[in-house]
Amino acid sequence: MKRKYTYLVLYVAVVQFCFGQKKIEVNNTDFTIAFGSCNKQNNPQPFWNEILKNTPNVFIWGGDNIYADSEDVLKIKNDYALQNSNSGYMKLKQSVPVMGTWDDHDYGKNDAGIEWSKKKESQQLFLDFLEVSKDSPRRTQHGVYTSRIFEIDKGNIKVIVLDTRYFRSQLKKSANSNGRYEPYDNNEGTILGEEQWKWLEKELENNYSDFVVIVTSIQFLSSEHGFETWGNFPHEVARLKEILLNKKVRNAILLSGDRHISEFSITKIPSLKYPLIDFTSSGLTHSYSAYRGESNKYRIGNVVSIPSFGVLKFDFDSYEVTMQIRGKNNVVLQEFKQQYPKD
């Protein structure tokens, strides 16, 4: 039977009952993910208590978890220590499991990739920050990629965290004076590197999770803005799409950060049973306040250019996922709902 997909964008539209001044949000949520990126350790961090109000089952860092940008390893270490000492973040860590990847500023250098000279030292500091045990295999692998399956009575969700820094080829400078970077031609360059690609294929084959959440620090779908994006390596975009299709990956959702804006992007891959969504949430402490618009042919809804965090609510009975961009006082700034197939 041919399935019909409904793309529904609701702006600050949740079901609420009002009793005087009190608003009670009604939803059917079996599992909740909160995530965010672009977090300056020296800035006020207003969202940790707001995130906890959503009772997440896991919090995921989307990259730029601190702003270090230094060849001084001690500075990076101290910046992580400052973030770990934040009282709101400490409270979240005590309440919720934390996963995450890095992006360029916690990696150690703006827009850096494979060429970064301190990447090995930086990796150990990142794993220290996430409190990964010293005897974990992640301590000896190249890159910070990892996965975890979250089981509940009704099913499970697999979270796959990618590393878009450690192996990534140097970016190609744009020939256009108005641009920053431009796509490679002829299958040149890589984002994940062959070692990580092989790992990812194994993670996705014979996978029976109800949902697969793939975390990538840079945007996967949006590629017209000239900044960092998977679109600078179009053959890598095609490769991931092909894997999702060939491995028959169930209900994959992409989470991204980096851009200091939040938005929903969506595309339909022929023969894939569901639309592929890239949910960008970027700007935990600061945002692209000077944003005046940019093209993104995959965008659904509007760009949110004020500080925000992302929330995903999974209903295993209906297989509906509610994705929300939330801001100050936990207000829903934008919402998108997607129905997924059960088979």
Side-chain angles (χ1 to χ4, degrees):
M1 181 178 72
K2 186 175 180 180
R3 295 181 179 274
K4 295 181 179 179
Y5 297 98
T6 300
Y7 301 89
L8 177 61
V9 181
L10 303 175
Y11 299 96
V12 198
V14 291
V15 180
Q16 295 180 323
F17 293 105
C18 298
F19 299 91
Q21 299 299 314
K22 186 177 181 180
K23 295 182 179 180
I24 301 175
E25 188 172 311
V26 178
N27 59 71
N28 297 315
T29 303
D30 297 307
F31 193 90
T32 299
I33 293 175
F35 79 107
S37 63
C38 301
N39 181 79
K40 288 186 176 180
Q41 68 278 4
N42 296 303
N43 281 17
Q45 298 178 27
F47 288 141
W48 300 121
N49 285 335
E50 307 308 316
I51 288 170
L52 284 172
K53 289 177 183 178
N54 295 278
T55 59
N57 298 91
V58 60
F59 174 77
I60 303 174
W61 285 108
D64 290 339
N65 313 316
I66 60 169
Y67 279 68
D69 295 289
S70 177
E71 293 187 4
D72 184 348
V73 175
L74 181 58
K75 179 187 182 303
I76 299 174
K77 181 178 180 179
N78 289 337
D79 285 339
Y80 274 128
L82 180 59
Q83 178 55 42
N84 261 328
S85 68
N86 179 280
S87 59
Y89 180 57
M90 290 173 65
K91 182 179 178 182
L92 179 131
K93 286 195 303 177
Q94 293 167 0
S95 308
V96 179
V98 175
M99 296 181 69
T101 189
W102 56 14
D103 202 38
D104 52 345
H105 296 293
D106 41 355
Y107 188 51
K109 185 178 180 181
N110 185 48
D111 291 356
I114 193 171
E115 75 280 3
W116 176 229
S117 61
K118 300 294 184 180
K119 62 183 181 180
K120 291 183 179 179
E121 297 91 333
S122 186
Q123 175 174 335
Q124 297 307 312
L125 295 175
F126 173 83
L127 296 176
D128 289 344
F129 172 63
L130 290 185
E131 301 177 358
V132 175
S133 65
K134 295 294 185 180
D135 58 356
S136 168
R138 297 176 66 189
R139 293 284 183 172
T140 56
Q141 75 177 28
H142 295 142
V144 301
Y145 56 88
T146 189
S147 69
R148 179 173 174 177
I149 295 176
F150 293 88
E151 299 271 1
I152 64 172
D153 290 340
K154 295 180 179 180
N156 66 71
I157 295 173
K158 185 169 192 175
V159 176
I160 296 175
V161 174
L162 300 179
D163 185 334
T164 63
R165 291 291 158 191
Y166 200 96
F167 304 96
R168 198 217 66 210
S169 303
Q170 287 189 279
L171 298 169
K172 183 179 179 181
K173 294 288 185 179
S174 175
N176 186 336
S177 60
N178 295 324
R180 192 169 183 178
Y181 302 114
E182 64 182 38
Y184 273 95
D185 300 318
N186 305 317
N187 298 332
E188 294 179 87
T190 184
I191 290 183
L192 299 187
E194 202 56 35
E195 179 181 332
Q196 187 176 184
W197 272 117
K198 290 179 180 178
W199 169 84
L200 180 59
E201 288 200 41
K202 289 182 179 178
E203 290 290 315
L204 292 176
E205 65 187 7
N206 300 320
N207 175 63
Y208 299 103
S209 294
D210 298 273
F211 298 92
V212 178
V213 175
I214 302 174
V215 183
T216 165
S217 63
I218 58 174
Q219 289 183 308
F220 182 76
L221 290 180
S222 179
S223 61
E224 301 165 55
H225 44 68
F227 294 94
E228 290 192 276
T229 167
W230 277 69
N232 290 324
F233 303 86
H235 56 287
E236 298 277 88
V237 174
R239 184 171 182 174
L240 182 52
K241 288 180 178 179
E242 183 178 357
I243 290 173
L244 294 176
L245 188 59
N246 292 344
K247 301 297 183 183
K248 299 180 180 179
V249 179
R250 297 183 65 198
N251 304 332
I253 300 169
L254 293 161
L255 305 183
S256 59
D258 177 55
R259 295 297 323 288
H260 303 174
I261 59 173
S262 296
E263 64 178 342
F264 300 109
S265 302
I266 190 167
T267 190
K268 186 70 177 72
I269 301 173
S271 300
L272 196 66
K273 292 183 177 181
Y274 53 89
L276 185 62
I277 296 169
D278 181 357
F279 180 2
T280 302
S281 179
S282 177
L284 285 170
T285 60
H286 59 293
S287 62
Y288 187 6
S289 58
Y291 176 83
R292 294 296 180 269
E294 65 184 31
S295 297
N296 173 8
K297 64 183 178 181
Y298 300 108
R299 183 183 299 129
I300 296 291
N302 296 321
V303 166
V304 172
S305 58
I306 60 175
S308 63
F309 61 95
V311 174
L312 296 90
K313 300 182 178 184
F314 296 80
D315 183 339
F316 278 76
D317 293 321
S318 66
Y319 262 52
E320 183 176 77
V321 181
T322 300
M323 307 176 202
Q324 298 173 330
I325 301 169
R326 287 180 176 257
K328 186 178 179 180
N329 298 322
N330 202 33
V331 169
V332 178
L333 302 173
Q334 195 167 157
E335 181 177 277
F336 182 83
K337 292 187 178 183
Q338 178 61 52
Q339 190 88 37
Y340 287 89
K342 292 188 177 184
D343 52 17

